[in-house]
């Protein structure tokens, strides 16, 4: 049986081809075609234009509020103007012990690679440390970044692409640390919030990013409690990526905002805790000079070479004074000018570590861990050096500072009580 096809009457309202657009249906004086002003239109006035055989439409029924159901389009009502807005449902919240840490450095200094090496370093830390860390993303994008980073660095043996846009990362760290005097263990948990930004966002004079992105970088670092500052001694030799271009302008803007907020320390320095990472320790152009200068130690044959923690500040001084000089020396002096020495730590770091032999041992005859073209990593998995340690140092410093008043008892510029 064939259903007859309905043919609309050219003069009726069923003719869609003859219907006007919304722009055509409104006159320039703000009135609709039925003579009512747009502001006073109601369901009754809309129903008057419907043929008598069709019942007038009814308002949509009121249903229970579902925060995950998209709202139907509607005109603003008086209730919209009076009632406060409903926030986005909080699916996963931050840990109460959360800390906000910013990663700061010149363009190309390896900020994204540093962050990508964090989960690998956390897994391997229990071999030589006292904490068995479990790192997990606190939102889908942060979890995806962890998965992608491990896949790139371990499976594909490639470096992550440099950041081209803002990326918010929120991770939880959970582990156990030995108790006082080595007796027992105690749980330790904290949340880490990092804003991954393109390197040019940290250069106030760069024209490669917008002013809004640069302002976002300043705001983020100002609000952070801890900072990881990546000092790349190889990039610093390039006039276009010299560290001072990415440090002084940012530091002075951060200082201005902290001053206006009344948060400067009594000695006028910024309240942040800072972990200075001398990066690319695995690179021959960094490792060999450090080795010849006597900064490198190796406990046993086959162990991974390191710069002892207690010598790391002097190693940074040597790197700035003797190895690199020039603007690097100015960066070193500016760091100690803006930040309190008691809140600073130094680390000789590498996101990928040295190439190891089949027995997982360091062999001086073959330790370069990057292919000659610079595109691939030789060892899988990589063995990061001093990647998780700076974060642990910052977390402990922030926790200790929160538990006691600052030295001198007061912040400068703050309101006295």
């Amino acid at each position: 049986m064939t259903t007859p096809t309905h043919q609309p009457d050219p003069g009726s309202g069923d003719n869609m081809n003859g219907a006007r657009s919304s722009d055509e249906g409104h006159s320039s004086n703000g009135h609709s075609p039925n003579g009512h002003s747009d502001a006073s239109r109601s369901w009754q006035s809309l129903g008057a234009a419907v043929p008598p055989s069709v019942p007038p439409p009814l308002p949509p029924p009121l249903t229970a509020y579902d925060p995950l159901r998209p709202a139907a389009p509607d005109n603003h009502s008086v209730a919209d103007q009076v009632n406060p807005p409903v926030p986005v449902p909080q699916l996963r919240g931050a840990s109460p012990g959360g800390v906000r840490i910013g990663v700061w450095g010149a363009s190309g200094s390896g900020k994204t690679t540093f962050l990508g090496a964090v989960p690998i370093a956390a897994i391997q830390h229990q071999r030589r440390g006292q904490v068995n860390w479990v790192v997990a993303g606190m939102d889908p994008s942060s979890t995806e970044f962890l998965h992608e980073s491990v896949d790139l660095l371990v499976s594909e043996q490639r470096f992550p692409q440099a950041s081209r846009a803002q990326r918010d990362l929120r991770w939880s760290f959970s582990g156990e640390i030995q108790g006082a005097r080595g007796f027992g263990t105690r749980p330790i948990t904290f949340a880490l919030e990092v804003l991954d930004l393109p390197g040019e966002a940290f250069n106030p004079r760069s024209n490669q990013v917008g002013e809004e992105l640069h302002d976002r970088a300043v705001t983020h670092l100002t609000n952070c409690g801890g900072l990881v500052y990546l000092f790349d001694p190889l990039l610093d030799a390039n006039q276009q990526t010299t560290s001072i271009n990415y440090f002084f302008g940012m530091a002075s803007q951060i200082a201005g905002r902290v001053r206006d907020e009344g948060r400067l320390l009594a000695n006028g320095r910024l309240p942040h805790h800072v972990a200075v990472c001398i990066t690319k320790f695995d690179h021959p152009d960094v490792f060999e000079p450090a080795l010849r200068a006597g900064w490198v130690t190796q406990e046993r044959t086959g162990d991974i070479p390191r710069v002892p923690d207690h010598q790391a500040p002097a190693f940074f001084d040597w790197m700035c004074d003797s190895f690199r000089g020039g603007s690097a020396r100015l960066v070193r002096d500016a760091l100690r000018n803006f930040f309190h020495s008691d809140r600073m730590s130094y680390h000789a770091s590498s996101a990928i570590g040295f190439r190891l032999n089949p027995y997982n041992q360091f062999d001086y005859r073959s330790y370069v861990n990057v292919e000659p073209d610079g595109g691939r990593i030789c060892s899988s998995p990589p063995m990061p050096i001093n990647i998780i340690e700076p974060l642990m140092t910052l977390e402990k410093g922030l926790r200790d500072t929160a538990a006691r008043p600052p030295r001198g008892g007061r912040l400068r510029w703050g309101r006295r009580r």
Side-chain angles (χ1 to χ4, degrees):
M1 180 177 178
T2 303
T3 303
T5 304
H6 172 67
Q7 298 293 334
D9 184 359
S12 70
D14 292 340
N15 185 1
M16 299 303 295
N17 293 330
R20 300 181 185 180
S21 67
S22 59
D23 290 337
E24 293 173 343
H26 290 75
S27 63
S28 59
N29 60 4
H31 288 68
S32 59
N34 61 9
H36 293 276
S37 64
D38 289 343
S40 61
R41 297 180 71 186
S42 64
W43 290 102
Q44 288 75 15
S45 63
L46 290 174
V50 180
S53 60
V54 181
L58 297 175
L62 297 176
T63 58
Y65 172 69
D66 182 358
L68 299 182
R69 178 178 61 83
D74 194 4
N75 292 331
H76 292 292
S77 63
V78 175
D80 295 330
Q81 303 175 18
V82 176
N83 296 330
V86 178
V88 174
Q90 186 69 30
L91 301 181
R92 299 176 186 176
S95 167
V99 296
R100 181 174 295 174
I101 293 177
V103 180
W104 182 7
S107 179
S109 60
K111 293 181 293 296
T112 304
T113 305
F114 177 93
L115 293 172
V118 166
I120 301 173
I123 294 172
Q124 297 171 346
H125 188 261
Q126 51 86 21
R127 296 186 189 177
R128 58 185 182 276
Q130 298 178 337
V131 183
N132 179 37
W133 289 113
V134 175
V135 183
M138 299 182 67
D139 54 62
S141 61
S142 299
T143 301
E144 182 64 21
F145 180 85
L146 291 174
H147 295 170
E148 289 181 354
S149 299
V150 172
D151 184 58
L152 277 172
L153 292 170
V154 177
S155 302
E156 301 183 27
Q157 296 176 244
R158 294 190 296 111
F159 291 98
Q161 293 292 325
S163 300
R164 299 184 181 276
Q166 173 182 328
R167 178 163 41 193
D168 296 279
L169 301 175
R170 300 169 68 237
W171 300 329
S172 65
F173 289 71
S174 303
E176 286 186 336
I177 190 171
Q178 287 188 357
R181 300 180 182 178
F183 294 104
T185 61
R186 66 176 179 87
I188 178 172
T189 303
F190 67 94
L192 175 67
E193 298 181 18
V194 176
L195 183 64
D196 187 22
L197 289 168
E200 290 300 325
F202 299 100
N203 185 356
R205 302 182 66 84
S206 174
N207 57 6
Q208 299 183 26
V209 296
E211 182 65 27
E212 180 182 356
L213 192 60
H214 170 69
D215 184 72
R216 198 170 299 163
V218 176
T219 301
H220 173 67
L221 296 185
T222 300
N223 295 333
C224 284
L227 301 174
V228 175
Y229 181 74
L230 302 182
F231 176 81
D232 187 335
L234 301 182
L235 276 182
D236 202 65
N238 188 332
Q239 184 66 28
Q240 299 302 317
T241 55
T242 183
S243 298
I244 194 64
N245 294 341
Y246 295 82
F247 179 82
F248 181 75
M250 287 290 295
S252 59
Q253 288 179 290
I254 295 170
R257 295 196 183 187
V258 172
R259 177 204 60 213
D260 294 343
E261 296 170 3
R263 295 194 295 118
L264 288 177
L265 298 179
N267 55 15
R269 289 183 169 88
L270 293 169
H272 302 69
H273 289 251
V274 182
V276 179
C277 293
I278 303 96
T279 63
K280 298 181 180 176
F281 180 62
D282 64 289
H283 197 287
D285 291 344
V286 176
F287 180 71
E288 291 293 338
L291 181 64
R292 292 193 297 268
W295 294 107
V296 179
T297 61
Q298 186 181 32
E299 294 183 3
R300 294 182 300 271
T301 301
D303 286 355
I304 296 176
R306 294 178 177 274
V307 174
D309 292 342
H310 69 278
Q311 293 186 358
F315 173 65
F316 181 61
D317 284 340
W318 171 82
M319 185 67 67
C320 295
D321 287 331
S322 302
F323 177 72
R324 182 53 58 207
S327 65
R329 189 182 301 113
L330 190 60
V331 170
R332 185 269 316 274
D333 295 340
L335 274 165
R336 294 171 182 172
N337 183 58
F338 280 98
F339 301 100
H340 199 293
S341 59
D342 290 349
R343 301 188 177 197
M344 297 182 68
S345 62
Y346 301 85
H347 313 266
S349 303
S350 170
I352 61 172
F354 297 101
R355 182 177 185 175
L356 304 179
N357 66 16
Y359 301 99
N360 209 37
Q361 297 173 320
F362 174 87
D363 188 343
Y364 182 67
R365 295 169 297 184
S366 177
Y367 69 85
V368 180
N369 204 13
V370 180
E371 297 289 352
D373 61 0
R376 288 181 60 83
I377 305 169
C378 298
S379 292
S380 179
M383 299 286 290
I385 300 172
N386 279 335
I387 296 298
I388 196 73
E389 289 81 359
L391 301 179
M392 294 175 57
T393 301
L394 291 173
E395 189 277 334
K396 182 179 184 302
L398 291 167
R399 177 161 40 87
D400 291 346
T401 299
R404 67 175 185 270
R407 178 178 295 183
R410 295 185 183 277
L411 297 178
R412 190 181 181 186
W413 306 103
R415 181 177 300 173
R416 296 184 178 271
R417 298 181 180 178

